[in-house]
Amino acid sequence: MNKIKATAIAHPNIALIKYWGKRNDELKIPTVSSISVTLDNLYTKTTVEFNEKFEEDKFSLNDKTVTGGVVLKRVIELLDLIRKHSKKNQFAKVVSENNFPDAAGLASSSSAFAALTMAGCNAIGYGINKKEMSIIARQGSGSACRSIFGGFVEWKKGKKDDGTDSFAEQIADEKHWEDFRIIVLIVNPKEKKIKSTEGMKISVNSSELYEAWIKASENDAGKIKQYLLEKNLTETGKIAEQNCLRMHSVMISSDPSLIYWNPETVTLIDKIQAMQSNGLDLHFTIDAGPNIKIICQEKDVEKILNCLEQAPFIHDFVVCSPGKGAEIVDDHLF
Ligand code: 2P0
């Protein structure tokens, strides 16, 4: 008998080599390959039930029913994709919760669509491997394809028009580099104004730096893989930092200009650069929001947090290690 209900947990990922722009908006096929690390302490948990008695799809997030808007639309589109592939046609109830704030540049859509894909495919009895799951998750939200896997992950951009060769693959699992840490500093948990999907379109269509970004990204991705395998933090961090700053140059040079930083972001960059000058091996990366993520080794976490004590605008922080890929769990949310 097919299972009708399943629950999955997935963790967000932070890109060391960024994804910013698509060559196919509908299928979410990126212009560049990207490389990420999946985080252990943050998660989305999602339960999906398909039932022939349901008359429509229903979705609730963090205990609130979502009755319309772009988030519900994207959830239903992903359920449609799962129904199409599995050739089963039942509506679903989806209940989801995050243990971190939405849309603050913390990649909540990566864990959300990875968990939804895994729970949805399992609930409907559609048995596919992780590569195929990453292709489905990608169409929910690009970065979600990377969260299907744990540890260090590459999302290959692919060449085909139908996106069947644009999927994620593990570079090294979560145990490969046990003292690698990411400190997520939350300076502003409010929702951002221009969401990534929209921001990417603006950059692809208007930034004069976009072509140069594609070229540099390919070079960065090629180099960082070797440094990750060698567990070389200094070189890994240097490339990640440059890649992030190039992405923000593309964002800033777009029309309209996309400035995701706030004054606190710049103050933190300054503090991190001062720590670097004092010989600490730490590096930063920033996504489409004001929050900074610090890349470092476990032995330096305390020192770094002590140095940041005089930054009262940091609302919160989470120290993460490389985490597991999406997985099915037994305890359902309803
Ligand atoms: C990344 N970001 O590689 C980059 C860096 C934001 C900045 O992936 O349109 O939410 O749903 O595919 O996946 C955010 O983009 O965008 C993102 P869609 P998504 O992590």
Side-chain angles (χ1 to χ4, degrees), residues 86-107:
S86 63
K87 301 190 176 61
K88 291 185 187 156
N89 214 1
Q90 295 175 3
F91 287 113
K93 176 176 172 179
V94 178
V95 174
S96 195
E97 60 180 37
N98 290 330
N99 73 338
F100 56 100
D102 297 337
L106 283 178

Side-chain angles (χ1 to χ4, degrees), residues 47-90:
T47 299
V48 179
E49 178 181 345
F50 287 95
N51 193 318
E52 58 191 17
K53 292 187 183 138
F54 293 162
E55 289 173 354
E56 59 179 348
D57 291 319
K58 288 211 163 127
F59 172 53
S60 78
L61 175 62
N62 296 333
D63 287 330
K64 281 191 199 125
T65 304
V66 182
T67 50
V70 69
V71 175
L72 180 65
K73 184 170 168 275
R74 286 174 76 163
V75 168
I76 292 175
E77 280 169 3
L78 195 78
L79 292 169
D80 284 341
L81 201 58
I82 293 171
R83 284 185 279 253
K84 186 178 131 198
H85 280 291
S86 63
K87 301 190 176 61
K88 291 185 187 156
N89 214 1
Q90 295 175 3

Side-chain angles (χ1 to χ4, degrees), residues 1 19 60 76 95 117 156 173 192 233 313:
M1 196 183 81
Y19 149 54
S60 78
I76 292 175
V95 174
T117 300
K156 293 178 180 293
D173 72 14
K192 61 194 174 208
L233 185 78
F313 51 79

Side-chain angles (χ1 to χ4, degrees), residues 15 19 22 28 74 109 141-143 146 196-197 200 247 287:
Y19 149 54
K22 303 174 179 72
K28 297 191 172 60
R74 286 174 76 163
S109 66
S141 191
S143 54
R146 300 187 306 233
S196 298
T197 309
M200 286 181 199
M247 176 183 74
D287 292 302

Side-chain angles (χ1 to χ4, degrees), residues 13-20 22 25 28 34-36 74 105 107 109-110 113 138 140-144 146 155 192 196-198 200 247-248 251 286-289:
N13 66 76
I14 297 295
L16 303 173
I17 303 300
K18 307 293 187 188
Y19 149 54
W20 192 252
K22 303 174 179 72
D25 287 322
K28 297 191 172 60
S34 53
I35 293 180
S36 61
R74 286 174 76 163
S109 66
S110 64
F113 283 98
R138 187 200 78 219
S141 191
S143 54
R146 300 187 306 233
W155 171 13
K192 61 194 174 208
S196 298
T197 309
E198 186 54 30
M200 286 181 199
M247 176 183 74
H248 282 276
M251 291 163 161
I286 310 165
D287 292 302

